[in-house]
């Protein structure tokens, strides 16, 4: 019937519409599928690799976990070189134990996100591997950190990183330290404690996290007070002393993090400083590009995370949700745009790198020189050169005015030449003579040598001539030292002490006194070694640093504990508020007990005692008091004693021909002998005012000197015979005769007829400054042998430095 047909027709129409709707849905799903396939085709390969990588990660999970835990727990204290050695050793241990691990696992990559690293760099963290590794350790440390930060860069980073948490700076020397500490614990803020080398016992409950919970409150004891403990509280300890003696007890309660500057970091800092000075516009563009590239990398990683998040959040079939597909397409468009921007950034960076590549050799030279300075530690404990001191040298070089019409190549050549000269002038004054030669020969190697030096037959004179040929006669390889004292005192700045280190008995404080008088500067000085001296010194330094006067601390080798516990911390706490005219001079004998931190803070002049009999006699007679020098007979004995002591000292310069061994004869031996002679004469002559030379206790004097004071140091029979001959031929009654010669050789000097104290000083002044080997009982070949011996010592030292350079 018609009604049936109508019904069937309606049904067919519905079915057709249903099929159309279903076709539309299927078409949309196909379109979505194609869109997704297109969108994710680039990710397919990466995800496939990631899936395969998951199996690798699971397989190596135990070994990787052990390496990461060891890295975070133990490596913080060490420098970059030691960290690499430790990681290598740990990997070898895992191999021996049969524990799988990923060979090329990067600790910084696996323990931090790119966004974190970018943020750290924006907060002032250097981009070298050591600094980034330290950032990772600080981010994961369970115990409170103790940061070793000689350059102060880490402190700046910490202050920026925790600025939102109202970080406060303090130190144990701060009068309000206890109040500041209690406030930070109570309110949960971050506290930065500076110049920490010994932990104040008040921190023990905090470092041990001895938290007591009472009635819903968390309490910690600070001294005698119970303080509410906020879980947000954080304390960061810092020290600028890279040689701080940290006890095992301290190390077990903190996480140590070493920010000592590495050569790679110094290279980066040098390049940045050079570009800021020479090409400020390019440096600004470079820094902006580096920041942009980092941000682009982070954004790309965020888009990948969002993509995965959208896919994992889908309920049901992914093809049923237009929003997911649309979102994926949008993310892929953004990703493609970012990749395009990254490609553009890379092209621009290539152009920038081409522009700055001209100055790259200068930055590389800075790195090379810094590695050499660090390697000089192999020669002496005195040679502690900080990155800060080297960067100051570079700054002074970069202040040179560019001449009109000078090309970049000419400018670079000029800067290199100036860097060599400035480094030699400022480092050379801190070195002993032999080590000056070692350092300068390396400088000539770095510049490229055009002459040849035969080390096998070299003498001191040949080395000096070689240096003059290679670097020029005006090259300041001896350093700007005592002879340029006023110039040095002006250039060092107010916050850098000038330390004058000399051999025992060679006092150079008079040079500072004379300079202060010439420059009309107010100079306050104090002799160290007593508790009264400590208090006076601290008061003088505090006052002078505010008003801009000068202070000199004499003989600080007598109070090394005070230097470490008080002066070093005071110097480290100096800030820009100190008066720019303030200067601190420190005199000391060369002593291994001098604190490393003080050596790194100071500009050092090594004042070697001038060699020769004349110089030794002058030092000896300057130590004799006027009360002691009233008798012409005694003065003659003193003059002979001074001559013998000078000969003994001078023969030390000719080992092994002068003495078989480097016996430890000192200025104190001569003073001891002076007392012994006075005592023997007093015992023999009593209270007689007029002394008969024939009745002097000659045998007793000779025996005392030969068997006791000087002879007591000698171990070889041949050397004892030399000493006996020297003493027995001079301490004789005939020494009071006119024209008495001090040596059997023709050119030997004769004692003066008159021996008043002034006459003795005049006679000493009349002597030739150069001491012929014959004066001290050696033949003319001794000078050549000594010269060759020094040259061989220079060669030996160069070899030890070369080993250190290769290691670094």
């Amino acid at each position: 019937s018609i009604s049936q047909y109508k019904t069937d027709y309606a049904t067919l129409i519905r079915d057709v519409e249903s099929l159309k709707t279903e076709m539309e849905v299927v078409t949309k799903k196909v379109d979505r599928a194609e869109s997704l396939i297109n969108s994710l085709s680039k990710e397919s390969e990466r995800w496939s690799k990631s899936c395969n990588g998951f199996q690798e990660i699971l397989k190596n999970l135990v070994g990787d976990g052990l390496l990461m835990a060891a890295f975070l727990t133990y490596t913080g204290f060490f420098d970059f070189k030691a960290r690499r050695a430790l990681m290598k050793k740990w990997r070898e241990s895992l191999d021996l134990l049969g524990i799988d691990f990923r060979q090329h696992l990067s600790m910084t990559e696996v323990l931090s996100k790119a966004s974190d690293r970018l943020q750290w760099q924006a907060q002032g963290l250097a981009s070298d591997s050591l600094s980034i590794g330290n950032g990772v350790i600080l981010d994961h440390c369970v115990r409170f950190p103790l940061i070793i930060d000689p350059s102060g860069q880490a402190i700046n980073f910490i202050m920026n990183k925790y600025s939102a948490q109202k970080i406060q700076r303090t130190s144990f020397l701060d009068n309000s330290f206890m109040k500041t500490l209690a406030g930070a614990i109570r309110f949960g803020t971050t506290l930065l404690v500076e110049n920490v080398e010994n932990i104040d016992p008040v921190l023990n409950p905090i470092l041990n996290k001895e938290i007591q919970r009472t009635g819903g409150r968390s309490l910690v004891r600070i001294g005698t007070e119970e303080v509410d403990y906020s879980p947000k509280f954080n304390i960061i300890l810092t020290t600028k002393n890279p040689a701080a003696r940290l006890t095992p007890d301290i190390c077990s309660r903190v996480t140590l993090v070493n920010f000592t500057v590495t050569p790679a970091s110094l290279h980066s800092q040098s390049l940045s400083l050079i570009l800021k000075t020479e090409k400020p516009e390019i440096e600004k563009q470079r820094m902006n590009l580096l920041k942009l590239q980092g941000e682009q990398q982070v954004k790309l990683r965020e888009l990948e995370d969002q993509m995965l998040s959208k896919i994992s959040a889908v309920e049901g079939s992914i093809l049923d949700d237009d929003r997911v597909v649309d979102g994926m397409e949008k993310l892929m468009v953004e990703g493609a745009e970012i990749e395009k921007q990254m490609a553009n950034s890379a092209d621009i960076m290539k152009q920038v790198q081409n522009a700055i590549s001209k100055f790259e050799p200068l930055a590389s030279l800075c790195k090379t020189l810094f590695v050499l300075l660090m390697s000089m530690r192999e020669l002496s404990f005195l040679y502690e050169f900080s990155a800060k001191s080297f960067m100051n040298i570079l700054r002074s070089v970069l202040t040179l005015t560019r001449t009109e019409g000078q090309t970049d190549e000419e400018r670079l050549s000029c800067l290199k030449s100036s860097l060599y000269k400035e480094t030699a002038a400022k480092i050379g004054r801190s070195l002993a003579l032999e080590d000056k030669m070692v350092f300068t020969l390396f400088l000539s190697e770095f510049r490229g040598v055009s002459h040849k030096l035969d080390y096998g037959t070299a003498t001191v004179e040949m080395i000096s001539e070689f240096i003059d040929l290679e670097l020029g006669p005006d090259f300041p390889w001896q350093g700007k030292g005592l002879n340029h004292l006023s110039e040095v005192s002006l250039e060092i700045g107010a916050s850098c002490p000038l330390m004058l280190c000399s051999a025992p008995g060679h006092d150079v404080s008079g040079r500072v006194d004379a300079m202060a008088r010439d420059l009309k500067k107010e100079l306050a000085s104090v002799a160290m070694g007593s508790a009264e001296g400590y208090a006076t010194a601290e008061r003088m330094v505090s006052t002078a640093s505010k008003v801009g006067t000068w202070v000199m601390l004499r003989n600080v080798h007598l109070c090394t504990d005070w230097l470490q516990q008080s002066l070093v911390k005071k110097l480290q706490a100096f800030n820009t508020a100190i008066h720019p005219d303030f200067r601190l001079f420190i005199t000391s004998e060369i002593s291994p007990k001098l604190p490393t931190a003080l050596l790194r803070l100071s500009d050092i002049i090594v004042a070697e005692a001038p060699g020769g009999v004349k110089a030794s006699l002058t030092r000896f007679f300057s130590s004799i008091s006027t009360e002691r020098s009233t008798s012409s007979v005694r003065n003659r004995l003193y003059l002979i004693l001074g001559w013998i002591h000078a000969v003994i000292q001078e023969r030390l310069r000719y080992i092994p021909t002068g003495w078989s061994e480097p016996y430890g004869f000192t200025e104190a031996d001569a003073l001891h002998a002076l007392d012994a002679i006075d005592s023997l004469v007093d015992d023999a002559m009593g209270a007689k005012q007029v002394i008969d030379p024939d009745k002097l206790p000659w045998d007793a004097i000779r025996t005392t000197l030969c068997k006791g004071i000087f002879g007591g140091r000698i171990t070889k029979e041949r050397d004892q015979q030399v000493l006996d001959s020297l003493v027995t031929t001079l301490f004789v009654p005939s020494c009071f005769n006119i024209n008495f010669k001090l040596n059997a050789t023709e050119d030997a000097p004769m004692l003066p007829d008159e021996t008043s104290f002034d006459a003795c000083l005049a006679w000493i002044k009349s002597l030739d400054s150069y001491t012929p080997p014959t004066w001290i009982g050696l033949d003319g070949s001794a000078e050549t042998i000594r010269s060759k011996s020094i040259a061989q010592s220079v060669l030996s030292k160069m070899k030890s430095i070369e080993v250190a350079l290769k290691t670094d």
Side-chain angles (χ1 to χ4, degrees), residues 65-212:
L66 286 170
L67 287 175
M68 285 186 274
F71 173 81
L72 293 172
T73 306
Y74 300 113
T75 62
F77 173 72
F78 300 100
D79 60 20
F80 185 65
K81 185 170 64 175
R83 290 184 190 185
R84 282 190 302 181
L86 279 173
M87 293 301 294
K88 182 181 178 183
K89 194 169 185 178
W90 291 335
R91 289 187 174 102
E92 290 170 353
S93 298
L94 290 178
D95 269 335
L96 288 173
L97 294 169
I99 299 174
D100 293 329
F101 61 92
R102 282 181 280 175
Q103 288 286 349
H104 303 292
L105 182 69
S106 168
M107 292 298 152
T108 54
E109 293 283 341
V110 76
L111 290 169
S112 65
K113 295 187 291 187
S115 56
D116 294 334
R117 297 193 292 273
L118 183 67
Q119 187 177 11
W120 296 340
Q121 289 177 41
Q123 291 164 343
L125 185 67
S127 58
D128 62 283
S129 300
L130 181 90
S131 298
I132 297 296
N134 287 340
V136 169
I137 294 170
L138 286 171
D139 227 33
H140 287 80
C141 62
V142 177
R143 295 169 294 188
F144 293 120
L146 195 165
I147 298 173
I148 301 168
D149 180 31
S151 67
Q153 291 180 344
I155 292 177
N156 296 333
F157 163 63
I158 293 295
M159 293 302 294
N160 292 330
K161 183 177 182 180
Y162 293 98
S163 58
Q165 300 177 27
K166 298 179 181 177
I167 185 171
Q168 292 177 280
R169 293 172 77 160
T170 186
S171 76
F172 294 141
L173 300 177
D174 192 339
N175 293 331
S176 59
F177 173 74
M178 293 294 288
K179 182 180 178 181
T180 305
L181 175 63
I185 293 171
R186 185 175 289 113
F187 298 112
T189 57
T190 299
L191 195 64
L192 178 73
V193 184
E194 298 182 275
N195 305 321
V196 173
E197 291 184 20
N198 298 301
I199 302 291
D200 192 312
V202 76
L203 291 183
N204 288 341
I206 299 168
L207 298 180
N208 297 336
K209 297 193 176 177
E210 297 170 1
I211 313 301
Q212 303 171 12

Side-chain angles (χ1 to χ4, degrees), residues 148-149 259 300 303 344 384 508 734:
I148 301 168
D149 180 31
F259 272 88
L300 199 60
L303 288 175
N344 290 336
E384 287 288 344
V508 294
S734 59

Side-chain angles (χ1 to χ4, degrees), residues 243 245 373-385 430-432 435 499 501-504 557 560 588-601 604 606 797:
R245 295 183 179 88
L373 292 182
M374 291 197 299
S375 302
M376 293 298 289
R377 296 174 190 164
E378 300 290 322
L379 304 185
S380 172
F381 64 88
L382 266 183
Y383 305 154
E384 287 288 344
F385 304 107
S430 304
L431 308 177
D435 302 334
M499 179 180 277
C501 292
S502 57
H557 57 279
T560 53
S588 171
E589 290 182 3
I590 297 173
S591 166
K593 292 182 179 180
L594 291 170
T596 302
L598 181 60
L599 298 176
R600 291 179 69 87
L601 285 168
I604 297 174
V606 173
K797 289 180 177 181

Side-chain angles (χ1 to χ4, degrees), residues 625-692:
S625 64
T626 53
E627 294 82 8
R628 204 171 200 166
S629 57
T630 54
S631 166
S632 60
V633 174
R634 288 179 188 258
N635 287 343
R636 201 168 190 84
L637 295 178
Y638 298 161
L639 197 57
I640 294 170
L641 172 62
W643 176 270
I644 289 172
H645 175 66
V647 170
I648 288 172
Q649 291 280 24
E650 190 67 8
R651 288 180 73 101
L652 283 172
R653 300 173 64 228
Y654 291 88
I655 290 172
T657 53
W659 299 111
S660 302
E661 298 176 11
Y663 299 120
F665 300 117
T666 66
E667 300 288 333
D669 293 336
L671 298 178
H672 184 194
L674 199 65
D675 293 336
I677 288 174
D678 275 347
S679 177
L680 290 170
V681 171
D682 288 342
D683 289 345
M685 308 308 295
K688 293 179 182 178
Q689 295 295 320
V690 179
I691 300 174
D692 183 355

